[in-house]
Amino acid sequence: MQIFLDTANVDEISRAAAMGLVDGVTTNPSLMAKETGDPREILASIAETVSGDVSAEVLSTDTAGMVAEGRELATIAPNIIIKCPLTPDGLRAVRELKEEGIRVNVTLCFSVPQALFAAKAGAYIVSPFVGRLDDISAPGMQLIADIREVYDNYGFATQILVASIRNPLHVVEAARLGADIATMPAKVLDLLIRHPLTDIGLERFLKDWEAARVT
Ligand code: G3P
């Protein structure tokens, strides 16, 4: 499973990338709005910092606008892929952009039929939002299991990117279910690496070593 960072903060991405932990990055308008500077330059820096896919989201809601924005964003770097919302206009944009060789991540997916239509439209990636489903007492991870089953039934190549991840268990479940990608905030990535028993164990090893040297 590929690990993506869900942020537009170049410093956060650089830190994780320096540890070799980041396969790609997802951004969205909410995340871009938290950063200062020219959005195009921010996306260019992110695309330079990681070698994998970097999702850049369109702001238009009509097909023509999404296609025009998608074409423009795709010129920023070869690893920029376009994020379109899972709406009828968005699905039309997926088809048009795909015909031009531009890869699309279809975002804001909340149901199996939505995921099925994203795949049929030719999405490169589909992004189901698990945390936002959990927020309304609907089991987010069940959606991942269901999409995996449906895609495998028909051999769809669309990658399942688990989005709206809020905690390490979401990532573990995503891997168990065979999701292709999990995107997460830097704080979740940090939690995944750390374990209190690792810290306690390391401290004990070093203490034992020092004690043996002193006696
Ligand atoms: O990748 C989509 C993600 O950013 C949404 O996360 O926590 O705002 O639901 P959240």
Side-chain angles (χ1 to χ4, degrees):
M1 185 173 72
Q2 293 192 79
I3 300 292
F4 282 21
L5 265 193
D6 195 30
T7 179
N9 186 284
V10 180
D11 291 338
E12 264 180 9
I13 296 164
S14 301
R15 272 196 298 276
M19 290 189 280
L21 299 175
V22 188
D23 296 309
V25 171
T26 47
T27 67
N28 62 39
S30 306
L31 294 171
M32 293 297 293
K34 288 186 192 165
E35 307 303 319
T36 47
D38 174 41
R40 205 173 197 283
E41 280 171 23
I42 293 171
L43 288 166
S45 297
I46 296 173
E48 211 176 274
T49 307
V50 297
S51 56
D53 294 332
V54 175
S55 289
E57 188 157 344
V58 298
L59 295 168
S60 303
T61 53
D62 63 298
T63 302
M66 286 189 228
V67 170
E69 268 188 71
R71 279 186 195 130
E72 214 289 310
L73 288 167
T75 64
I76 295 175
N79 56 336
I80 291 280
I81 66 169
I82 309 307
K83 232 173 166 184
C84 291
L86 211 160
T87 58
D89 275 76
L91 293 180
R92 279 191 287 271
V94 175
R95 281 192 195 284
E96 288 190 32
L97 288 168
K98 191 185 177 188
E99 273 169 26
E100 297 180 23
I102 296 172
R103 297 170 298 161
V104 180
N105 172 355
V106 181
T107 189
L108 290 166
C109 172
F110 293 96
S111 76
V112 174
Q114 282 187 318
L116 181 59
F117 283 112
K120 286 172 80 73
Y124 173 65
I125 287 175
V126 67
S127 290
F129 277 36
V130 295
R132 292 193 195 183
L133 282 170
D134 290 351
D135 289 346
I136 59 158
S137 302
M141 294 314 301
Q142 185 57 49
L143 176 61
I144 304 304
D146 293 344
I147 297 173
R148 178 78 281 159
E149 183 184 356
V150 170
Y151 280 11
D152 288 350
N153 281 348
Y154 298 103
F156 285 119
T158 302
Q159 297 177 78
I160 303 170
L161 181 154
V162 183
S164 187
I165 279 179
R166 306 276 171 76
N167 59 58
L169 280 181
H170 277 147
V171 182
V172 173
E173 268 302 288
R176 294 188 67 213
L177 293 169
D180 301 287
I181 305 161
T183 192
M184 66 204 73
K187 67 172 191 293
V188 174
L189 182 64
D190 193 53
L191 286 170
L192 283 170
I193 298 161
R194 294 182 190 283
H195 197 290
L197 288 178
T198 304
D199 297 337
I200 292 166
L202 180 60
E203 200 184 329
R204 192 182 300 163
F205 284 155
L206 296 178
K207 264 193 191 146
D208 289 348
W209 174 250
E210 281 309 315
R213 282 160 57 93
V214 170
T215 54

